[in-house]
Amino acid sequence: MQNYPFYDEALALTKKLVSIPSMNNSDGGERAVADYMAAWIRELPYFKAHPDQVITQPLKNDPYDRINVVAIAFGSRSNSNETIILHGHHDTVGIDDYGSIKEYAFDCDALPEKIKSITSDPEVLADIESGEWMFGRGSSDMKSGDAVNMVLMRYFTEHLDQFDGNLIFMTNPVEENQHTGIIESLNVLEELKAKYGLTYKMAMNTDFISPAFPGDTAHYFHAGAVGKILPCFYIIGKPTHSGQGFEGFSASMVAAEITRNIDMRAEFSDVYNGEFAMPPTVLKMRDLKPSYDVQTAFSAFVYFNYFIHNMEMDEIFARLRKVAEDALSTVDTYTDEQNKVYCKMTGADYYKREYQLKVMEYSELYEKAKALKPDVDEDIRAITKQSLEENMDRRELCLKIVEYLANNILSINTPTVILFLAPPYCPRNTLKREIPEEGALLDSVVDLLNQLGQEMGEELKMMQFFPVLTDSSYLKLDDTDTSIKTLVDNFPDMKGHYDVPLDQIKRLNIPAFNFGCHGKDAHKWTERVHKEYSFGKLPIIMLRVLEKYLNEK
């Protein structure tokens, strides 16, 4: 498209990146696509002359040999330290959902016809027939965004005399689960900042955006990232033989009651500036019996996805603790009432069973265990070490520590719920108008988008929070020190297995925008990206941002 100078190269690069399978946690894929991008960057004439400004950072102790790729170029019109970061991730989710056509998941040319043969979805078919959409795993989430960043880096290095400030290109693996790529890249960003005296003006992630509702034609931008915690409940009941059911206390029923009172509970949706996060959702609920027998379960385990916009950890923990207390009380009352009914039906003598019902946060559990066993930290580290060597799921690792403290050290045998946190943790951040410096930057970007929207005939709409998880979470941190302490104190051995560098994030404090390519159906086999906007208009929008904020005049 002749009116869009970046279109052809961005489209071709996206197609090339999609053709390199890079499913998260797959042997070689994430490394292969990162190597391709690093080689492409190094071939730019500027970086041939400055090869030391392209950094490939291996992830620590990574079984898949993954790397971050970071490159920095310096504008030559002045010696400004102002710096903008363009970043994205290069891993994707898997392709099993493609079913019988999964061998075509990375072939952007052949895939549309294959999709037509197995779907009757009118919107999907219309998008195929229009020719306006590129299909393929990673086309939307988010290799199109990586491609846009690459072509902008090329342009920047070819027009250094037009810019006062500097530009960083960065691409990271492991976004689709643990975010360890972006987390470890913070060391590089901090080293570059110290080495060159940089001031980070902003970061622009190019993760995908989607229509908010059927027929929505707006293109969304975001001034921050939704936060996420994974609150977990370890539930200890009182087991009994199934033939004597009323003599026990059901851990499974407590888990079900906790789930009923948290899962999709709208009033638990966090809000800031009129934007609501999705309510919490249950991700796992199970009893912890290893095999079948006729004894009721001693314990159960349940955890939730919990999005955060503005709440402090203390507020959230108070809310979740109340749910656990109510669940224990409800199960106790219900069981007693059913016992009365049963005794009346059978003529048996009724008597009330009394229980001490307890809810504890992990911080309380840990302090009690440490008081009883001062060297308990050595035990916890040993559990972490062994679990990591076994490649245990991190949620199960945290549970294992909790079980050890509760059962082996404190010998808890009364109905108890222990509330704790497990990975992943994604910090919340946004630009707030009540903070003058942040408000000025936000209003300035909004004004520019309004101007560009009028020029392009597009609705460019700024929102506060990217609504799903993103690496942008790890560039800025809005939680107070008190909130962070509550987080860390209730996260079993966080430093030992999930050492999110909270102090480093606070030091960097980089305003984190998302300028996304426009796609549909990310993480689905109909994933696709809109070509004209993503490869044509978006790079121009982003270039105008670079010109505005890397210009001292």
Side-chain angles (χ1 to χ4, degrees):
M1 292 188 178
Q2 58 182 1
N3 294 329
Y4 299 129
F6 300 103
Y7 181 92
D8 290 335
E9 186 175 28
L11 184 149
L13 268 173
T14 300
K15 191 177 294 187
K16 174 61 180 179
L17 295 177
V18 170
S19 75
I20 305 172
S22 58
M23 287 90 74
N24 184 272
N25 289 353
S26 63
D27 286 334
E30 290 171 89
R31 177 59 186 262
V33 74
D35 283 340
Y36 175 84
M37 285 189 275
W40 188 94
I41 291 285
R42 287 194 176 101
E43 283 299 307
L44 297 179
Y46 175 85
F47 290 110
K48 282 187 174 181
H50 303 89
D52 59 319
Q53 291 170 214
V54 181
I55 301 162
T56 53
Q57 177 199 30
L59 270 57
K60 299 173 186 173
N61 303 315
D62 185 61
Y64 302 105
D65 197 29
R66 293 173 288 198
I67 58 172
N68 293 314
V69 179
V70 184
I72 183 169
F74 297 95
S76 62
R77 193 162 64 180
S78 73
N79 293 321
S80 173
N81 294 326
E82 294 285 341
T83 304
I84 289 177
I85 302 167
L86 305 179
H87 73 106
H89 69 87
H90 53 258
D91 59 322
T92 73
V93 294
I95 59 171
D96 286 345
D97 56 321
Y98 284 82
S100 63
I101 62 169
K102 68 180 181 181
E103 66 181 289
Y104 300 98
F106 306 110
D107 188 336
C108 297
D109 293 326
L111 182 61
E113 287 301 315
K114 299 300 178 181
I115 290 175
K116 283 172 64 175
S117 70
I118 62 171
T119 187
S120 59
D121 185 306
E123 183 178 353
V124 173
L125 293 173
D127 286 348
I128 291 173
E129 292 303 316
S130 73
E132 297 175 2
W133 297 81
M134 176 188 289
F135 287 73
R137 174 57 79 232
S139 58
S140 173
D141 186 14
M142 61 160 290
K143 289 179 175 178
S144 52
D146 290 322
V148 168
N149 292 340
M150 292 165 76
V151 299
L152 286 172
M153 180 54 94
R154 178 196 288 278
Y155 181 91
F156 185 87
T157 61
E158 293 173 351
H159 300 83
L160 295 172
D161 58 350
Q162 298 179 14
F163 296 94
D164 293 297
N166 318 304
L167 190 63
I168 289 176
F169 168 87
M170 181 169 69
T171 181
N172 308 108
V174 208
E175 191 269 354
E176 296 292 357
N177 53 14
Q178 301 289 1
H179 302 276
T180 49
I182 186 73
I183 289 170
E184 294 191 22
S185 73
L186 299 182
N187 289 331
V188 176
L189 295 181
E190 201 157 46
E191 288 165 6
L192 291 174
K193 181 178 182 179
K195 181 176 181 179
Y196 298 112
L198 306 179
T199 298
Y200 289 129
K201 182 70 176 179
M202 68 175 74
M204 288 193 285
N205 194 352
T206 45
D207 216 337
F208 75 98
I209 59 169
S210 298
F213 51 85
D216 183 20
T217 59
H219 299 291
Y220 295 94
F221 298 75
H222 303 89
V226 65
K228 168 186 169 151
I229 56 173
L230 196 83
C232 306
F233 298 83
Y234 174 58
I235 302 139
I236 298 171
K238 182 175 174 57
T240 185
H241 192 287
S242 294
Q244 299 168 312
F246 289 114
E247 295 184 8
F249 193 97
S250 175
S252 299
M253 196 187 301
V254 175
E257 188 67 16
I258 289 172
T259 300
R260 187 180 70 84
N261 280 285
I262 295 179
D263 191 28
M264 298 307 300
R265 186 169 176 174
E267 66 187 276
F268 281 8
S269 172
D270 192 15
V271 60
Y272 173 75
N273 196 26
E275 286 186 28
F276 288 85
M278 279 297 294
T281 50
V282 64
L283 298 181
K284 182 181 280 287
M285 181 179 70
R286 64 185 176 94
D287 68 52
L288 297 174
K289 285 179 63 173
S291 60
Y292 168 81
D293 58 35
V294 292
Q295 185 184 51
T296 59
F298 170 73
S299 57
F301 180 43
V302 57
Y303 59 72
F304 299 84
N305 185 89
Y306 201 119
F307 287 134
I308 309 170
H309 278 176
N310 201 48
M311 288 185 74
E312 297 284 293
M313 294 295 170
D314 287 342
E315 298 176 82
I316 296 170
F317 265 67
R319 170 181 285 176
L320 297 177
R321 185 166 186 145
K322 179 67 164 54
V323 169
E325 291 167 350
D326 290 347
L328 286 170
S329 177
T330 297
V331 170
D332 189 31
T333 299
Y334 174 82
T335 305
D336 184 59
E337 289 174 348
Q338 294 304 308
N339 188 20
K340 287 179 185 177
V341 173
Y342 184 77
C343 289
K344 185 176 181 180
M345 290 167 53
T346 62
D349 293 333
Y350 161 80
Y351 66 92
K352 182 174 178 60
R353 290 171 175 81
E354 302 286 350
Y355 300 102
Q356 286 185 314
L357 308 177
K358 297 180 181 178
V359 175
M360 302 171 64
E361 295 171 16
Y362 176 78
S363 57
E364 301 171 69
L365 179 76
Y366 170 78
E367 290 300 330
K368 289 179 182 292
K370 190 169 181 62
L372 200 61
K373 192 175 191 295
D375 63 347
V376 72
D377 289 321
E378 296 179 15
D379 297 349
I380 292 173
R381 284 193 291 269
I383 292 171
T384 297
K385 182 175 183 294
Q386 180 183 352
S387 300
L388 292 175
E389 289 172 353
E390 295 172 357
N391 200 27
M392 181 181 290
D393 180 272
R394 301 296 175 90
R395 277 61 47 190
E396 300 296 324
L397 186 160
C398 292
L399 173 63
K400 192 171 182 179
I401 292 172
V402 171
E403 286 182 301
Y404 176 77
L405 299 185
N407 302 326
N408 295 61
I409 304 299
L410 297 178
S411 300
I412 297 173
N413 56 16
T414 58
T416 302
V417 176
I418 299 165
L419 170 61
F420 63 100
L421 297 173
Y425 160 60
C426 301
R428 61 178 174 87
N429 65 66
T430 193
L431 295 179
K432 296 185 174 183
R433 287 190 171 87
E434 54 265 36
I435 300 173
E437 183 179 354
E438 293 186 1
L441 177 58
L442 178 56
D443 288 339
S444 175
V445 174
V446 169
D447 288 345
L448 178 59
L449 291 178
N450 288 338
Q451 176 186 337
L452 292 170
Q454 291 178 1
E455 293 175 10
M456 293 181 171
E458 298 279 4
E459 182 182 3
L460 307 180
K461 189 172 182 179
M462 179 65 77
M463 307 296 288
Q464 293 283 166
F465 300 93
F466 189 72
V468 293
L469 303 181
T470 168
D471 278 346
S472 298
S473 277
Y474 300 91
L475 298 178
K476 186 174 181 287
L477 179 64
D478 288 353
D479 277 281
T480 64
D481 291 343
T482 300
S483 185
I484 291 171
K485 186 176 188 307
T486 299
L487 168 85
V488 174
D489 288 351
N490 288 287
F491 205 121
D493 199 19
M494 184 177 185
K495 190 169 184 62
H497 66 92
Y498 193 69
D499 190 15
V500 178
L502 301 170
D503 291 340
Q504 188 177 42
I505 295 171
K506 278 219 157 190
R507 284 196 305 272
L508 285 167
N509 198 43
I510 303 169
F513 287 94
N514 192 76
F515 282 60
C517 293
H518 186 86
K520 293 181 183 178
D521 293 352
H523 293 203
K524 301 177 183 178
W525 56 276
T526 47
E527 177 181 356
R528 57 203 184 273
V529 64
H530 190 259
K531 294 188 288 189
E532 181 181 17
Y533 177 81
S534 302
F535 306 140
K537 295 181 178 181
L538 179 63
I540 294 173
I541 293 169
M542 293 178 66
L543 178 59
R544 291 285 292 274
V545 173
L546 299 182
E547 291 170 341
K548 179 178 178 66
Y549 295 104
L550 297 182
N551 185 339
E552 287 194 336
K553 294 180 181 179

